[in-house]
Amino acid sequence: MTAQTTPLPAATPVGYPRIGPGRELKKAEEAYWAGRIDHAEFARRTRELRRATRARLAELGLSAAAAAPESFSLYDQVLDAALAVGLVPDRFASVIGADGTVDDDGYFALARGTAEQPPLEMTKWFDTNYHYLVPEIGPDTDLHLASARVVDLFRESLEDGAGTRPVLVGPLTLLLLAKAQDGAPEGFDPLERLDDVVGVYAQLLAQLAAAGAPWVQLDEPALAADQRLSATELADALQRSVGRLAEGADRPQLLVTTPYGGIGDLLPALLATGVEAAHIDLTRGDLPTTDQLAGIGSTQLVAGLVEGRSVWRTELPTAAARLAELRSRVAEAGGAADTISVSTSVSLQHVPHTLELETSLAAELVATLAFADEKIAEIVTLAGGQVEAGSVDGPRSVPRTFDGVRVDSVRERVAAAGPADTERDEYAVRAEAQRRTLGLPDLPTTTIGSFPQVGEVRAARAAHRRGTLDDAGYEQAMKDEIARVITLQEEIGLDVLVHGEPERNDMVQYFAENLEGFATTEHGWVQSYGSRCTRPSILFGDVHRPAPITVGWSTYAQSLTPHPVKGMLTGPVTILAWSFVRDDQPLGDTAAQVGLALRDEVTDLEAAGIRIVQVDEPALRELLPLRTAEHDDYLDWSVRSFRLATSGVEAATQIHTHLCYSEFNVVVGAIDALNADVTSIESARSRGEILEAIDPGAFPRGIGPGVWDIHSPRVPGAEEIADQLRRARAAVGPERLWVNPDCGLKTRGYAETEASLRHLVQATREVRAEVEAPAAL
Ligand code: GLN
Ligand code: ZN
């Protein structure tokens, strides 16, 4: 072993945002992809971003060698690790150059696809809103060092200061996240290639040692969050991967991180691998017991005491007390208590860069917030030992006590809500009442809500926000757009119309801006994937609705047409999933507040003559906890909040919901329990798998499996849609089937939207005629 002597600095986060405080990465990438800048300019801009990031981290106190994690990635950290070891699926063989390496364009080809090849699949990174690219591997994939980017970045960091700590997704997690590539033999498990992958990591470590890196970080979140392997299997695979790397002589010192949950009984196995430092998530996990620490020896512990994925400021006295308790347990176990490093629970890539850019948040709220830079200040302060220890059981984050955090009337209403508030009439009664009032044909056609957001609509919203377009001008611009969208839908021949959602920038932020209890940021961008960023709202207080939100737009749309217009709302679970949510009460309590606020909107829509209301829950699957033991509780409160929102209406009012993102099978029971009259579901990409999961006996209500994949600009032909409808009708029966696209049309253009919707209506008419034909004989 080479550089045994440098300890890991006393304060160091697991990772840092890479997008840049002004979204520099996004801007550079989008300019490069669009051909507005050449590769040299792109490289210059990303180099400048890394220089600025390193300078910023040094300024925050991470100036020592290896104190700052090297968090830069051109697109995704999983893709980086996959390419480092040559995990390139065969269909992308052409991106590997003659020297065996992959350049930036090859890298982007895997991430974004090419004219010939679809990109790697993208999926959620543990239970966060970050999405990674799923590596593909087969029994014969030629594993080799295909990218030394991590070495280049380390060398570059030496030009900027003392040098960062190279970070790689570890070999075990990489393979647990990978999938067998198309054509791999039945039953092939990516883990079969663990030894080969580890061999390439060893070469990479040797190169990093040669470049002079004292430490390298391997992220192994699978230890905390994997649901596939048993604890024994994980411990064994850990020894075969990380343990083997630690045995090698030609390498930097190793830090293994275990973010996204506690590792509990796996800690002894991690300590037994012989790595020099081990990180544990102490926000989700408990302090380890002295027994679990028995094998600590000289391993340096890295204590993830500061929550890295929330925006709440840490209650430092509590954290200091927990640190002191950890020290005494480490000492008792025979370890070196004074070498413990203070860290974050997970990478700070899940929070915005800095609070400093926010000028419009209330001062009392700001005093309780911490973004990435402020969280680094917290770990530096804790490591400095200047904080007087409070109680180990004290609050984890700074208590929020200002106006709006607790609103008695909201709390009383939640407390008073009983079983009757989540029940509607029997479905049969509802269905009959709805048939009478709505008079819809079989296989009714509709859309999911949004229509293409054309330039003028976005410009009008921006001008209104800036104050250059007054309220009256803005309202007129939106009404013009609504009228256009209604006329178009009537002309195409859809049965249930929508107003098109032109007034919404984002389906969650729009409601956050119009409900009490939320704050919105100006620059609080967080990477969702690649160059895509979102700006989550901050839910800090009791949620209620000061005034109707959507009623004006929906009734205006309804006034233009005799066809039913759907009211469109975002559901409580999705509002929570895509916001930073208060940590001072159970999520279920917060969800109930949001549910009741939406209930007011639903009943106001009904009172204003809207006969159908859709409450979207695209994030129902996404917020499902990693641990199966927590599923029931989650499903209980998520279902209840939806039902609180939607059960205040008459039998004749039809409630719709919409869900997207595949893998529904785990939440099928919950979808049924939502008790919506009609559920539209994304299914074009999963080729109708959802239909098999939904048993007509158990799910007797309306269902609209999406028949047009709106994520692609491709216009589906009428025959193709008709075929899907025939299959769907065979699976669920003609009485329950609705016809709709997969998701909202916001990101599509008008040309393909119009063409596709015409095909959808044409296909429906064809298939309807087939249903009716026998009766006419
Ligand atoms: N009603 C929303 C829309 O059409 C739904 C979006 C979604 O499911 N993500 O845009
Ligand atoms: Zn959707």
Side-chain angles (χ1 to χ4, degrees):
M1 135 102 261
T2 43
Q4 172 66 331
T5 44
T6 356
L8 199 62
T12 185
V14 170
Y16 187 72
R18 55 179 77 119
I19 205 81
R23 285 181 295 158
E24 289 82 354
L25 180 61
K26 174 193 180 70
K27 290 171 188 164
E29 283 178 337
E30 290 177 356
Y32 178 56
W33 296 336
R36 291 196 301 272
I37 58 173
D38 64 9
H39 188 267
E41 173 61 10
F42 173 64
R44 194 196 62 75
R45 290 203 200 170
T46 48
R47 172 72 185 90
E48 174 53 27
L49 170 60
R50 292 191 295 270
R51 193 203 55 74
T53 300
R54 292 173 190 135
R56 179 70 177 152
L57 291 176
E59 201 184 311
L60 290 168
L62 307 180
S63 55
E70 182 58 70
S71 306
F72 185 78
S73 172
L74 274 180
Y75 202 97
D76 169 38
Q77 67 258 19
V78 179
L79 181 60
D80 292 342
L83 282 192
V85 300
L87 249 168
V88 177
D90 293 345
R91 63 196 167 90
F92 276 108
S94 65
V95 307
I96 304 179
D99 62 350
T101 67
V102 177
D103 65 10
D104 286 356
D105 292 336
Y107 178 99
F108 287 139
L110 284 153
R112 308 178 61 231
T114 62
E116 295 80 38
Q117 287 298 340
L120 295 185
E121 186 188 313
M122 195 167 60
T123 193
K124 264 162 52 70
W125 173 248
F126 303 100
D127 54 349
T128 71
N129 287 331
Y130 178 76
H131 299 76
Y132 71 93
L133 292 161
V134 181
E136 296 172 25
I137 187 168
D140 304 316
T141 305
D142 170 27
L143 297 173
H144 68 283
L145 242 176
S147 160
R149 198 185 295 276
V150 59
V151 186
D152 298 340
L153 286 176
F154 174 71
R155 288 220 176 84
E156 180 192 276
S157 77
L158 292 174
E159 293 166 18
D160 293 343
T164 51
R165 177 174 75 245
V167 178
L168 276 166
V169 171
L172 180 55
T173 296
L174 181 66
L175 286 182
L176 283 170
L177 297 182
K179 64 173 195 184
Q181 76 173 14
D182 276 351
E186 184 68 32
F188 168 76
D189 180 346
L191 270 186
E192 291 169 26
R193 303 295 310 273
L194 187 60
D195 293 345
D196 305 324
V197 164
V198 168
V200 188
Y201 271 82
Q203 290 173 36
L204 200 55
L205 291 181
Q207 288 203 8
L208 286 163
W215 283 93
V216 167
Q217 172 177 328
L218 297 176
D219 290 330
E220 291 287 11
L223 293 181
D226 178 72
Q227 293 287 302
R228 240 182 72 198
L229 302 186
S230 68
T232 331
E233 287 167 329
L234 272 175
D236 177 58
L238 182 66
Q239 186 52 43
R240 271 176 54 214
S241 53
V242 169
R244 242 189 75 205
L245 290 174
E247 279 162 17
D250 195 9
R251 63 168 179 89
Q253 298 172 97
L254 295 177
L255 158 64
V256 171
T257 69
T258 62
Y260 307 105
I263 56 169
D265 290 340
L266 275 173
L267 182 57
L270 176 55
L271 296 173
T273 58
V275 295
E276 285 73 19
H279 160 271
I280 44 178
D281 175 349
L282 292 176
T283 62
R284 289 211 176 162
D286 298 326
L287 288 173
T289 61
T290 8
D291 279 350
Q292 288 168 338
L293 289 166
I296 188 154
S298 62
T299 314
Q300 196 175 343
L301 218 51
V302 178
L305 284 160
V306 167
E307 176 62 90
R309 53 194 288 168
S310 80
V311 292
W312 310 116
R313 189 169 290 200
T314 307
E315 174 73 353
L316 294 178
T318 309
R322 299 179 76 222
L323 179 59
E325 174 62 23
L326 181 64
R327 284 211 173 96
S328 79
R329 292 186 192 181
V330 166
E332 209 175 308
D338 54 344
T339 67
I340 295 176
S341 282
V342 181
S343 187
T344 54
S345 57
V346 301
S347 167
L348 295 167
Q349 76 181 104
H350 306 300
V351 295
H353 273 266
T354 173
L355 265 176
E356 274 172 20
L357 298 173
E358 301 302 326
T359 55
S360 61
L361 293 175
E364 56 205 4
L365 174 62
V366 169
T368 67
L369 294 178
F371 291 174
D373 288 2
E374 293 76 27
K375 297 211 178 236
I376 289 177
E378 291 178 350
I379 62 172
V380 169
T381 305
L382 279 170
Q386 307 303 323
V387 185
E388 189 153 342
S391 150
V392 209
D393 307 316
R396 299 283 181 93
S397 59
V398 169
R400 292 174 293 279
T401 52
F402 45 87
D403 261 9
V405 173
R406 293 181 67 89
V407 177
D408 290 341
S409 55
V410 173
R411 292 182 172 260
E412 283 155 19
R413 191 173 174 201
V414 169
D421 297 305
T422 53
E423 289 301 334
R424 297 186 67 196
D425 291 307
E426 291 281 302
Y427 177 66
V429 174
R430 278 149 45 197
E432 184 46 35
Q434 292 163 18
R435 222 183 332 272
R436 262 185 282 119
T437 52
L438 295 171
L440 294 169
D442 270 353
L443 274 57
T445 53
T446 190
T447 59
I448 305 303
S450 58
F451 264 67
Q453 290 226 339
V454 289
E456 302 100 79
V457 168
R458 282 202 301 263
R461 257 198 340 253
H464 185 234
R465 204 170 48 236
R466 276 197 310 272
T468 52
L469 179 65
D470 64 13
D471 289 352
Y474 172 73
E475 188 172 326
Q476 196 51 55
M478 294 302 121
K479 284 187 163 174
D480 291 349
E481 176 65 13
I482 290 172
R484 226 167 59 82
V485 167
I486 292 287
T487 308
L488 176 67
Q489 295 172 88
E490 286 188 317
E491 202 257 305
I492 291 175
L494 289 157
D495 300 310
V496 172
L497 313 193
V498 295
H499 78 288
E501 305 178 22
E503 77 288 7
R504 304 183 192 176
N505 41 0
D506 170 283
M507 67 186 288
V508 169
Q509 193 175 340
Y510 176 72
F511 288 93
E513 282 168 358
N514 287 286
L515 290 169
E516 295 293 334
F518 290 87
T520 49
T521 68
E522 291 161 84
H523 304 279
W525 296 100
V526 173
Q527 185 182 33
S528 167
Y529 63 88
S531 67
R532 191 71 81 94
C533 302
T534 61
R535 195 155 39 109
S537 301
I538 299 174
L539 194 175
F540 64 87
D542 287 349
V543 175
H544 56 109
R545 188 195 69 148
I549 303 171
T550 64
V551 178
W553 303 124
S554 291
T555 50
Y556 174 67
Q558 185 66 82
S559 75
L560 303 173
T561 176
H563 299 286
V565 171
K566 276 196 280 193
M568 296 297 318
L569 306 176
T570 302
V573 178
T574 301
I575 290 183
L576 260 55
W578 296 346
S579 306
F580 288 116
V581 179
R582 64 193 299 175
D583 60 352
D584 55 354
Q585 63 183 22
L587 278 180
D589 295 0
T590 307
Q593 293 182 356
V594 179
L596 288 170
L598 292 170
R599 182 187 186 97
D600 295 341
E601 188 73 10
V602 175
T603 49
D604 280 354
L605 282 166
E606 177 185 61
I610 299 297
R611 289 164 288 165
I612 303 182
V613 180
Q614 177 167 315
V615 178
D616 291 326
E617 283 292 20
L620 183 69
R621 166 70 185 85
E622 178 175 329
L623 210 60
L624 189 75
L626 294 173
R627 305 258 173 219
T628 26
E630 295 161 23
H631 284 186
D632 286 352
D633 176 53
Y634 163 72
L635 292 171
D636 277 355
W637 68 249
S638 59
V639 166
R640 180 165 184 270
S641 66
F642 181 91
R643 292 178 65 143
L644 281 173
T646 53
S647 301
V649 291
E650 302 292 325
T653 298
Q654 190 168 67
I655 297 291
H656 288 213
T657 189
H658 165 71
L659 303 119
C660 35
Y661 308 127
S662 33
E663 276 191 75
F664 283 105
N665 306 5
V666 266
V667 288
V668 156
I671 297 175
D672 181 38
L674 295 179
N675 196 22
D677 298 304
V678 178
T679 304
S680 64
I681 300 192
E682 175 200 301
S683 81
R685 277 191 297 183
S686 59
R687 295 274 138 238
E689 272 166 37
I690 183 70
L691 294 175
E692 289 155 31
I694 296 193
D695 162 14
F699 189 87
R701 296 178 292 278
I703 180 120
V707 288
W708 161 28
D709 175 7
I710 63 87
H711 296 91
S712 139
R714 200 178 145 265
V715 174
E719 255 329 291
E720 176 186 338
I721 298 180
D723 277 347
Q724 292 193 55
L725 289 178
R726 288 184 192 106
R727 261 186 293 139
R729 188 185 54 190
V732 305
E735 307 79 22
R736 305 196 300 141
L737 188 60
W738 279 67
V739 184
N740 46 258
D742 250 359
C743 195
L745 306 173
K746 183 162 126 179
T747 56
R748 294 269 61 95
Y750 262 106
E752 72 248 28
T753 293
E754 251 193 80
S756 303
L757 290 178
R758 283 187 201 284
H759 291 168
L760 183 145
V761 168
Q762 189 190 330
T764 307
R765 289 184 179 149
E766 260 172 50
V767 176
R768 262 183 208 150
E770 297 161 11
V771 178
E772 286 153 10
L777 282 176

